[in-house]
Amino acid sequence: MHSVEDLCALISSKITWGRGEEPQRLLPDTPLLELGLLDSLTIMQIVTALDSEAGLSLPDTEIIAANFRNPGALWAVLENIGAGAAR
């Protein structure tokens, strides 16, 4: 995972779009929770995909609604985790 755009693509692949609804391109500021695009199962699918596909383990303490309000917020958390691992 090299950019917030990569994260947007990963999140988009886990969202179940409504019947007859065209998948939308997610942007860093797309309000995921406000638009009802995420539920607890989808959040866990994203967390699992981050671990298995990108090798990024999200600590349980970071799996909170505020970090999933939009892709940019989650990206900031991932950057902080990456910065901590680089020390």
Side-chain angles (χ1 to χ4, degrees):
M1 180 102 16
H2 301 290
S3 68
V4 69
E5 288 78 17
D6 292 343
L7 179 60
C8 287
L10 182 141
I11 293 169
S12 183
S13 74
K14 303 303 175 196
I15 292 172
T16 302
W17 300 94
R19 180 181 290 209
E21 200 175 28
E22 286 294 318
Q24 302 296 311
R25 181 169 178 265
L26 299 181
L27 300 173
D29 62 349
T30 300
L32 300 170
L33 297 174
E34 189 176 311
L35 293 174
L37 297 175
L38 298 183
D39 58 19
S40 59
L41 178 60
T42 307
I43 289 172
M44 292 315 298
Q45 289 174 337
I46 292 166
V47 169
T48 300
L50 286 170
D51 190 30
S52 64
E53 298 173 25
L56 298 167
S57 293
L58 196 61
D60 291 343
T61 57
E62 296 297 335
I63 304 173
I64 59 173
N67 290 339
F68 288 84
R69 69 182 179 278
N70 60 52
L74 184 55
W75 182 250
V77 172
L78 296 174
E79 284 186 312
N80 285 338
I81 291 169
R87 291 182 198 160

